[in-house]
Amino acid sequence: MLKSEECKEKLIVMAEGENEVRWDGLCSRDSTTRETALETIMQIILRKTECLRSVKETTHRPPDEVSNAISLDELNKLLAHLLMLAKRCPFKDVREKSEFILKNVQELGIRIPRPLGHGPSRFIPEKEILQVGSEDAQMHALFADSFAALGRLDNITLVMVFHPQYLESFLKTQHYLLQMDGPLPLHYRHYIGIMAAARHQCSYLVNLHVNDFLHVGGDPKWLNGLENAPQKLQNLGELNKVLAHRPWLITKEHIERLLKAEEHSWSLAELVHAVVLLTHYHSLASFTFGCGISPEIHCDGGHTFRPPSVSNYCICDITNGNHSVDEMQVSSPGSVSVSDSFFEVEALMAKMRQLQECRDEEEASQEEMASRFEMEKRESMFVFSSDDDEGTPARDVSRHFEDTSYGYKDFSRHGMHVPTFRVQDYCWEDHGYSLVNRLYPDVGQLIDEKFHIAYNLTYNTMAMHKDVDTSMLRRAIWNYIHCMFGIRYDDYDYGEINQLLDRSFKVYIKTVVCTPEKVTKRMYDSFWRQFKHSEKVHVNLLLIEARMQAELLYALRAITRYMT
């Protein structure tokens, strides 16, 4: 019994703050620093494991009496973090040592976690995604940068790495927004990320930034609900809401209310930082749902402590969890054959050639172009998915924002008329870029680079075809999104959109951009059936950057109008 009492005392000492696990050292580029950190982590975890086991053995029951000091739940969180490192850390020494520690814990009779699910994405087979540890030098440098900045290599990064040039720009921008010098304090930045992701019920991003918010010293009370955050952040709720769902309604009055709120007022520089963060995370929620990003291994839903169970027929356990329900099901009778989807690609290629020929032969008048824009804008209102039902957001997400019933509504519904936003009157290149760069130096440049990379990115391939000029298709996707937001380019023939984007593709685009929480695997599978997953990820990059630019244009135009 003495051994058990000693352990209880040790556990209480640990719980009071001594020997707490610190993961920071594992982010170092220096292998000696990582080795020292790993050794310390191993000693602490094995000591906690040994003490819990001793209490269990001597009392012949779970150690409930020391649950206030240290619980199995706390140890499980540490083990889940180790599992994430064993699978996702770009440094081989950390992966191997984390696995070694987990095996040691298991040998001491404590159950260890295993991954749940099917890799970084529910839509893309794991075998088609670059495996950590098999990357080349360029990818390794990218992975190491991401891990050093965030302490993790998240699933978004592992899916974006299909396009390394874009990923590098994305990581650089996000790092600057969250961690470099700027108008807003660090904990405000993560809290704004939580507010923005919560508007789309994106628990994946909310969970990540809750952890980051606490890590930089944020007040846990704020996480109980937006009403517990400072009034200044609460005031941002209205802008967050309108920007996420109906950005065309933003006026200079929204800006004025934030800048003239007496002791709770925002400065112009702070507001631009907040607007960029809001648009970044609204768009990132679109990417998260659009690519079916799975929960992180160390977060809820990413791992389990249950042993594999074939008798209970737990789908996620079959063959180490590499198959989703959708992948295991046999094709339904109405599914499309390979030859049909091959024909779709050929038809799309033919349309592109035909449109190019028409462009060369004649150019439509300005009146005709304006008419085609209005027609496409009206048609976009009647594109909706069969899954378009109203869902009630979960409390753990909805507490981070107000007015849960407020969502996307087409701008011309209910007889409401919103003036067309004409790009020649206010555009990113001539107006938005300089405003952002003036009030939040360097960020305009970073965002601009990211827009350009996503828009111009091409490998000159389409499905099985090589040496293809895809610029017409990329422009149609970008301009269709801006059209849904009421933004018009005078020099673009909107008649091309209906030629190039079929119904199922439009449904997917509109859902990802406007109501991303409603995206399903069926929608993802139903467009561009013969195209590679990397091409579908590229589509998502176009969608999120076009969406972010559209939101920024409305918000920055309102700020400009306030300033003038």
Side-chain angles (χ1 to χ4, degrees), residues 68 88-89 105 222 279 418 434 442 474 490 546:
N68 291 331
R88 294 279 193 265
C89 183
V105 169
W222 298 9
T279 58
V418 175
S434 54
D442 299 329
R474 284 180 275 123
D490 280 0

PDB file of all heavy atoms in Angstrom, residues 68 88-89 105 222 279 418 434 442 474 490 546:
ATOM      1  N   ASN A  68      -8.313  13.969  -9.159  1.00  0.00           N
ATOM      2  CA  ASN A  68      -8.152  15.414  -9.072  1.00  0.00           C
ATOM      3  C   ASN A  68      -6.707  15.825  -9.288  1.00  0.00           C
ATOM      4  O   ASN A  68      -6.426  16.949  -9.664  1.00  0.00           O
ATOM      5  CB  ASN A  68      -8.617  15.935  -7.699  1.00  0.00           C
ATOM      6  CG  ASN A  68     -10.119  15.810  -7.562  1.00  0.00           C
ATOM      7  OD1 ASN A  68     -10.828  15.872  -8.565  1.00  0.00           O
ATOM      8  ND2 ASN A  68     -10.584  15.633  -6.338  1.00  0.00           N
ATOM      9  N   ARG A  88       3.035  12.286 -38.069  1.00  0.00           N
ATOM     10  CA  ARG A  88       2.995  13.520 -38.848  1.00  0.00           C
ATOM     11  C   ARG A  88       4.212  14.436 -38.713  1.00  0.00           C
ATOM     12  O   ARG A  88       4.280  15.451 -39.381  1.00  0.00           O
ATOM     13  CB  ARG A  88       1.761  14.348 -38.447  1.00  0.00           C
ATOM     14  CG  ARG A  88       0.435  13.711 -38.786  1.00  0.00           C
ATOM     15  CD  ARG A  88       0.088  13.930 -40.250  1.00  0.00           C
ATOM     16  NE  ARG A  88      -1.297  13.596 -40.519  1.00  0.00           N
ATOM     17  CZ  ARG A  88      -1.714  12.428 -40.963  1.00  0.00           C
ATOM     18  NH1 ARG A  88      -0.831  11.463 -41.186  1.00  0.00           N
ATOM     19  NH2 ARG A  88      -2.995  12.188 -41.191  1.00  0.00           N
ATOM     20  N   CYS A  89       5.165  14.106 -37.829  1.00  0.00           N
ATOM     21  CA  CYS A  89       6.302  15.016 -37.666  1.00  0.00           C
ATOM     22  C   CYS A  89       7.275  14.846 -38.835  1.00  0.00           C
ATOM     23  O   CYS A  89       7.627  13.725 -39.193  1.00  0.00           O
ATOM     24  CB  CYS A  89       7.028  14.747 -36.348  1.00  0.00           C
ATOM     25  SG  CYS A  89       8.386  15.921 -36.082  1.00  0.00           S
ATOM     26  N   VAL A 105       4.851   2.602 -23.184  1.00  0.00           N
ATOM     27  CA  VAL A 105       3.629   2.806 -22.394  1.00  0.00           C
ATOM     28  C   VAL A 105       2.728   1.587 -22.511  1.00  0.00           C
ATOM     29  O   VAL A 105       2.158   1.106 -21.530  1.00  0.00           O
ATOM     30  CB  VAL A 105       2.897   4.090 -22.861  1.00  0.00           C
ATOM     31  CG1 VAL A 105       1.509   4.179 -22.246  1.00  0.00           C
ATOM     32  CG2 VAL A 105       3.708   5.337 -22.507  1.00  0.00           C
ATOM     33  N   TRP A 222     -13.018  33.313 -22.310  1.00  0.00           N
ATOM     34  CA  TRP A 222     -13.547  33.792 -23.585  1.00  0.00           C
ATOM     35  C   TRP A 222     -14.122  32.639 -24.404  1.00  0.00           C
ATOM     36  O   TRP A 222     -15.021  32.828 -25.218  1.00  0.00           O
ATOM     37  CB  TRP A 222     -12.455  34.461 -24.421  1.00  0.00           C
ATOM     38  CG  TRP A 222     -11.828  35.679 -23.831  1.00  0.00           C
ATOM     39  CD1 TRP A 222     -11.995  36.171 -22.556  1.00  0.00           C
ATOM     40  CD2 TRP A 222     -10.915  36.569 -24.489  1.00  0.00           C
ATOM     41  NE1 TRP A 222     -11.246  37.293 -22.384  1.00  0.00           N
ATOM     42  CE2 TRP A 222     -10.560  37.567 -23.541  1.00  0.00           C
ATOM     43  CE3 TRP A 222     -10.359  36.623 -25.760  1.00  0.00           C
ATOM     44  CZ2 TRP A 222      -9.675  38.603 -23.855  1.00  0.00           C
ATOM     45  CZ3 TRP A 222      -9.476  37.645 -26.074  1.00  0.00           C
ATOM     46  CH2 TRP A 222      -9.139  38.621 -25.141  1.00  0.00           C
ATOM     47  N   THR A 279     -11.557  37.082 -43.492  1.00  0.00           N
ATOM     48  CA  THR A 279     -11.698  36.564 -44.857  1.00  0.00           C
ATOM     49  C   THR A 279     -10.819  35.321 -45.056  1.00  0.00           C
ATOM     50  O   THR A 279     -11.210  34.389 -45.755  1.00  0.00           O
ATOM     51  CB  THR A 279     -11.337  37.635 -45.905  1.00  0.00           C
ATOM     52  OG1 THR A 279      -9.995  38.088 -45.695  1.00  0.00           O
ATOM     53  CG2 THR A 279     -12.275  38.819 -45.819  1.00  0.00           C
ATOM     54  N   VAL A 418     -29.311  44.628 -55.366  1.00  0.00           N
ATOM     55  CA  VAL A 418     -27.985  45.076 -54.942  1.00  0.00           C
ATOM     56  C   VAL A 418     -27.241  45.558 -56.179  1.00  0.00           C
ATOM     57  O   VAL A 418     -27.146  44.820 -57.167  1.00  0.00           O
ATOM     58  CB  VAL A 418     -27.205  43.916 -54.269  1.00  0.00           C
ATOM     59  CG1 VAL A 418     -25.784  44.343 -53.945  1.00  0.00           C
ATOM     60  CG2 VAL A 418     -27.926  43.465 -53.007  1.00  0.00           C
ATOM     61  N   SER A 434      -3.247  48.412 -52.279  1.00  0.00           N
ATOM     62  CA  SER A 434      -2.500  49.543 -51.697  1.00  0.00           C
ATOM     63  C   SER A 434      -3.046  49.929 -50.328  1.00  0.00           C
ATOM     64  O   SER A 434      -2.286  50.308 -49.427  1.00  0.00           O
ATOM     65  CB  SER A 434      -2.519  50.746 -52.641  1.00  0.00           C
ATOM     66  OG  SER A 434      -3.850  51.075 -52.977  1.00  0.00           O
ATOM     67  N   ASP A 442       3.305  44.949 -45.821  1.00  0.00           N
ATOM     68  CA  ASP A 442       3.731  43.641 -46.364  1.00  0.00           C
ATOM     69  C   ASP A 442       2.598  42.644 -46.576  1.00  0.00           C
ATOM     70  O   ASP A 442       2.738  41.692 -47.349  1.00  0.00           O
ATOM     71  CB  ASP A 442       4.822  42.982 -45.496  1.00  0.00           C
ATOM     72  CG  ASP A 442       6.080  43.834 -45.433  1.00  0.00           C
ATOM     73  OD1 ASP A 442       6.358  44.536 -46.422  1.00  0.00           O
ATOM     74  OD2 ASP A 442       6.771  43.813 -44.401  1.00  0.00           O
ATOM     75  N   ARG A 474      -9.898  28.295 -65.923  1.00  0.00           N
ATOM     76  CA  ARG A 474      -9.604  28.913 -64.620  1.00  0.00           C
ATOM     77  C   ARG A 474     -10.311  30.263 -64.481  1.00  0.00           C
ATOM     78  O   ARG A 474     -10.839  30.587 -63.425  1.00  0.00           O
ATOM     79  CB  ARG A 474      -8.091  29.094 -64.451  1.00  0.00           C
ATOM     80  CG  ARG A 474      -7.369  27.793 -64.115  1.00  0.00           C
ATOM     81  CD  ARG A 474      -5.870  27.986 -63.955  1.00  0.00           C
ATOM     82  NE  ARG A 474      -5.178  27.930 -65.230  1.00  0.00           N
ATOM     83  CZ  ARG A 474      -4.408  28.900 -65.708  1.00  0.00           C
ATOM     84  NH1 ARG A 474      -4.232  30.013 -65.018  1.00  0.00           N
ATOM     85  NH2 ARG A 474      -3.813  28.772 -66.884  1.00  0.00           N
ATOM     86  N   ASP A 490     -15.999  43.927 -66.864  1.00  0.00           N
ATOM     87  CA  ASP A 490     -16.557  44.420 -68.136  1.00  0.00           C
ATOM     88  C   ASP A 490     -15.995  43.700 -69.363  1.00  0.00           C
ATOM     89  O   ASP A 490     -16.652  43.629 -70.395  1.00  0.00           O
ATOM     90  CB  ASP A 490     -16.267  45.924 -68.292  1.00  0.00           C
ATOM     91  CG  ASP A 490     -17.262  46.762 -67.489  1.00  0.00           C
ATOM     92  OD1 ASP A 490     -18.146  46.155 -66.837  1.00  0.00           O
ATOM     93  OD2 ASP A 490     -17.152  47.999 -67.496  1.00  0.00           O
ATOM     94  N   ALA A 546     -10.691  33.172 -54.780  1.00  0.00           N
ATOM     95  CA  ALA A 546     -11.709  34.042 -55.386  1.00  0.00           C
ATOM     96  C   ALA A 546     -12.686  34.517 -54.328  1.00  0.00           C
ATOM     97  O   ALA A 546     -13.099  35.687 -54.311  1.00  0.00           O
ATOM     98  CB  ALA A 546     -12.443  33.297 -56.494  1.00  0.00           C
TER      99      ALA A 546
END
